[in-house]
């Protein structure tokens, strides 16, 4: 797969991700939800930390939430830059399409969430008890690098009380599954899943073709 095709995949994922986030941000109040099916609903939440809302300050109590957010955003930028170099390298070396595709969608997902973290605090005002405005006159809800990631996809596939006979968790309430995520998260998870499940295919080495010698060398006079 060429870098041009990989770039097209990245652009498509970024467009879907950002369009869905901007729509939710400008049409929903925070925590507002709409049921689509019994097993799927759209819920507007914002995540200013890592996966499932975890923050660096939860682990390092001496770091303020604001500093933790900045560190996380800068780390994401460094990481996505590394992924970009990796993508360019594997396309130049003509590695497997599986590997290039996986890296491309991971990059697209990571970049999609970075856009939220870097710019959304400036581009939108707060969504608490109101629908946010794009480019509000009074300014955004946070500065550059301190935006929150917009999540909206929730799949409450099953919830209920577990059977009593189940060890450790028997009789307890269980929900599968609670996390709310976005298109960028799906891209990242899918890409990582491909690298794990199709590891051998992704990292398969193709035999290098030898450049044939000029005709004069093959048939010496």
């Amino acid at each position: 797969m060429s870098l041009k095709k990989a770039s097209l995949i990245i652009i498509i994922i970024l467009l879907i991700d950002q369009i869905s986030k901007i729509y939710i941000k400008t049409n929903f109040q925070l925590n507002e939800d709409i049921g689509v099916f019994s097993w799927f609903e759209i819920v507007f939440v914002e995540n200013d930390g890592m996966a499932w809302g975890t923050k660096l300050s939860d682990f390092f109590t001496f770091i303020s939430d604001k500093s933790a957010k900045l560190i996380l955003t800068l780390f994401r930028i460094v990481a996505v830059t590394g992924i970009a170099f990796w993508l360019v390298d594997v396309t130049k070396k003509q590695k497997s399409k599986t590997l290039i595709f996986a890296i491309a969608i991971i990059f697209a997902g990571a970049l999609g969430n970075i856009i939220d973290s870097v710019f959304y605090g400036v581009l939108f005002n707060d969504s608490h008890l109101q629908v946010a405005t794009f480019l509000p006159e009074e300014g955004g809800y946070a500065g550059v690098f301190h935006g929150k990631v917009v999540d909206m996809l929730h799949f409450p596939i099953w919830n209920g009380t577990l059977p009593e006979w189940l060890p450790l968790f028997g009789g307890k309430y269980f929900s599968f599954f609670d996390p709310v995520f976005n298109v960028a998260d799906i891209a990242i998870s899918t890409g990582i899943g491909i690298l794990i499940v199709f590891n051998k295919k992704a990292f398969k080495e193709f035999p290098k073709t030898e450049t044939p010698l000029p005709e004069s060398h093959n048939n010496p006079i």
Side-chain angles (χ1 to χ4, degrees):
M1 182 185 294
S2 65
L3 183 60
K4 188 176 181 179
K5 290 182 179 179
S7 299
L8 180 60
I9 293 171
I10 292 168
I11 291 170
I12 291 172
I13 293 175
L14 275 178
L15 284 175
I16 296 173
D17 177 64
Q18 289 300 308
I19 289 171
S20 63
K21 287 174 176 175
I22 292 171
Y23 176 82
I24 293 296
K25 185 70 178 170
T26 55
N27 287 275
F28 284 67
Q29 294 183 22
L30 193 63
N31 298 319
E32 184 178 350
D33 63 276
I34 293 179
V36 181
F37 302 106
S38 60
W39 47 268
F40 170 58
E41 60 185 6
I42 296 173
V43 184
F44 173 31
V45 299
E46 290 183 314
N47 179 7
D48 59 356
M50 299 179 289
W52 298 291
T54 307
K55 302 176 183 178
L56 283 177
S57 52
D58 294 336
F59 302 98
F60 305 100
T61 54
F62 58 88
I63 300 177
S64 66
D65 286 348
K66 190 172 183 180
S67 297
K69 175 62 181 176
L70 178 60
I71 292 170
L72 179 61
T73 301
L74 293 176
F75 173 78
R76 283 173 169 166
I77 293 173
V78 172
V80 82
T81 302
I83 297 171
F85 279 110
W86 188 20
L87 178 61
V88 171
D89 182 62
V90 295
T91 52
K92 282 184 177 180
K93 294 178 179 177
Q94 296 184 338
K95 297 293 184 178
S96 70
K97 292 181 180 180
T98 304
L99 178 60
I100 296 173
F101 176 77
I103 298 173
I105 62 176
I106 291 172
F107 174 80
L111 184 58
N113 283 337
I114 284 176
I115 290 173
D116 297 28
S117 296
V118 174
F119 300 112
Y120 273 31
V122 177
L123 297 177
F124 300 96
N125 54 3
D126 190 43
S127 296
H128 183 63
L129 299 179
Q130 66 176 359
V131 174
T133 303
F134 181 68
L135 294 177
E137 293 182 3
E138 68 276 14
Y141 64 84
V144 180
F145 298 114
H146 289 89
K148 298 178 181 179
V149 176
V150 174
D151 295 324
M152 79 291 291
L153 305 175
H154 184 220
F155 291 84
I157 297 173
W158 184 89
N159 61 79
T161 303
L162 296 173
E164 293 287 347
W165 52 263
L166 197 65
L168 299 177
F169 302 102
K172 295 182 179 179
Y173 177 81
F174 179 76
S175 176
F176 181 82
F177 53 92
D178 288 333
V180 182
F181 49 94
N182 55 45
V183 174
D185 296 332
I186 294 174
I188 295 170
S189 300
T190 302
I192 294 173
I194 289 172
L195 294 180
I196 294 172
V197 177
F198 302 101
N199 182 275
K200 290 184 179 180
K201 186 176 181 180
F203 293 96
K204 180 180 179 181
E205 291 291 339
F206 297 96
K208 294 181 180 180
T209 54
E210 294 184 4
T211 305
L213 293 171
E215 198 171 314
S216 57
H217 286 270
N218 292 329
N219 300 293
I221 299 176

